[in-house]
Structure formats: structure tokens, C-alpha cells
Amino acid sequence: MSNEKNNSGATRKVTVKAFRFNAETDYLPYYKTYEMEVGKDELILDLLNRIKWEHDGSFSYRRSCRHGICGACGIKVNGKPVLSCKQNAQELVELFGDELVFEPQSKKRAVKDMIIDKGDFWEKHAAVKPYVEAEVDPHPESETIMTPEQVENFLDADYCIQCGACHYACPVIEVNEDYLGPAAFAAAYRFTVDPRDEATIDRLETTAELGSGVWDCVKCFECAEACPKDVNPIEKITKLHNLQFEHHVAERNVATKHAEGFVRSIKKFGYLDEQDIVLYSEGLGVVKHLSEAFKMIKAGKVHPFDFQKKKMPRSKNLEEIQKLIEISKTHEL
Ligand code: SF4
Ligand code: SF4
Ligand code: FES
């Protein structure tokens, strides 16, 4: 009967390799294999349930709402962050073939099977004050009115369900334990632009710090790719950069000067002047890049004695580019 279903395309034979680990009893994690027929409407959460209900009652994972609201059921399938209750299983079979590997969002934080210790996520989220901070009149005469534009400004950030998918997909989180991470930044942005909030400077200062703040983002876009609610954290990070300049919170350091140098170069040539941006942002610190500089000179990418910048190409659309920079500029860098 299952073959009949197979031929009709309704089900697919799938091998699920699930990460297993119990921090209380296991020294190392291991993978256990489960063979199953997967229906076209089944979700990854259905497969997690089937492992538990049909194969091994001790298999552990988090789930609650089953409607993509509570953020509890995030795992990784073949390395891809998914919300189990939202992700169709056959879609992933199409993408990865008939072997699906289920792993927790972060293997090094595993407590039991798919369950991880999300302590770092919550601590970092709390650090940006993810709430409206304001003097509240206990007896208001009317509600606070917001314009549709003001609401629109933070609406997509408000859809965050704190699932942690972006946080545990972020490569900086893996190597820098101080980095606050994309979800915390999305929350920081959401409350900073809320017209009722009075903690703007405080939050912008928290997110401006080198090492932990937005300037340590490497702009890989993994967070945008991972987010099941289209919050687009990298976009909020860019908006926080701008807000820090607007509110004069951005300090002059290598990161902010890099941003300035980028605009300066594009405005001048319509292209990135790689030589100038390094000199401008690093100053005397540029000496530590000498070996790279020699390689770039050899490759013809930089011209150290071209003081007039004659060898630097100019975009034929330079005027248009300059106008666009003026229009999009909200502040002086
Ligand atoms: S874009 Fe930035 S915040 Fe997002 S995953 Fe990459 S490094 Fe992390
Ligand atoms: S921004 Fe998206 S991926 Fe990150 S915690 Fe919120 S909902 Fe999850
Ligand atoms: S069970 Fe709540 S988001 Fe999946």
C-alpha cells in the first residue's frame, strides 16, 4: 500500500537522522536513524512527533502553539534553520533529497536532543530593553495615538516570536560571545522607533558598543534567510547604524569610519575605492595590512602613487548616484 502511495507521489520514503544527546548521561552526542513514509502535507513537527510516538518516547523537543506563534519549535534540518510547525517536510526532501538530518539550533548548547539552553539568547534580548520605557500616566484621559506611518515603521520587527533561528544561524554569535545578535537588534530597533518610548539614547548606546553591538555584524544575511516571520534583522541593523549617526551616538572608530569612507568613495567615483577606504577607516593602523596591500598592488587593485586618482574608474552614472546619495541621506555622517 505504501508503494502505491509512493507511485502516486502522495508520500515519500524518507530517512531521518536525528541528533540524540542527554547532557545528564551522555559524554558525546550520536545520531539515530528512523525510516518513514512522509505525506505531502506533513510538517517537520509531525515527523518529530512520529519519532516520539512511534519509535522512542524519550525523544525530546519543544513545541507548544503549532501555529508559528510561540517560537518554541525551532530546529535545524540539514543545517537549515526551520520552525518545525511551519515547515513542510516534503519541501525539504525536494531540497535535500531523501535523507533529512534533524539537529538542535545549536549543538554546543544541547541539553536533550532538540532542546537547547537558550539562556544566552534571552540574556542578550533583555539587554536591549525589549519593551516601551516611558513615564506612564496611571489615569490617562485618552489613549496614545500613533499614525499609520509610525506603526508601519516597526510593524515587521513586531512580528518577531523570539524563536532564536536568526541568533543561532549568525556566524558572529558562534565566535564572539559578547555579540548581542540579530534578534536583540531587531527588538532594539522596534522599541527605539516606538513614538511612546523614552529610552532611545540608552538603547542606541548599548547597540553601538564595539564587540557587542551592530558594528560587529559581518552582513552575511544569514539572519534574514533564517527568519520564519520575515523580520529581516539585517535591515534593522542598518537602520540602527543610521539612528546612531542621527542621534550623535556613533563614536568615531574603525567601524563607523568604514561606513563614512564607503559613502565618501561612492559619492566621489560611483565605485568603491578599496585603497582609500582602508586608509580612511584604519588611519595609522593600516600598517598591519601591509602584506595584503602588497598583494593588492600586485593584482593591480590599488595604486599607491596615483595621488590624483587618475587610475580610479568613474561610473558613467556618477551624477545619478550622487543625487541618490543626497536623497537617501537622513543626516551628516
Ligand atoms: S547579517 Fe549580521 S546579524 Fe545577521 S547573521 Fe550575518 S552577522 Fe549575524
Ligand atoms: S527575528 Fe525572526 S528568526 Fe529572529 S528570533 Fe525573531 S522571529 Fe525568530
Ligand atoms: S509550536 Fe509554536 S511556533 Fe512552532
Side-chain angles (χ1 to χ4, degrees), residues 121 160-166 183 226-229 231 233:
F121 174 83
C160 174
I161 54 170
Q162 288 95 46
C163 68
C166 60
C227 180
K229 305 299 273 188
V231 169

Side-chain angles (χ1 to χ4, degrees), residues 1-13 37-41 90 94:
M1 177 174 160
S2 58
N3 274 344
E4 248 171 61
K5 277 188 188 168
N6 254 345
N7 292 340
S8 72
T11 67
R12 297 280 297 263
K13 256 191 191 342
E37 293 275 341
V38 175
K40 70 176 171 47
D41 295 326
Q90 283 204 8
E94 289 300 323

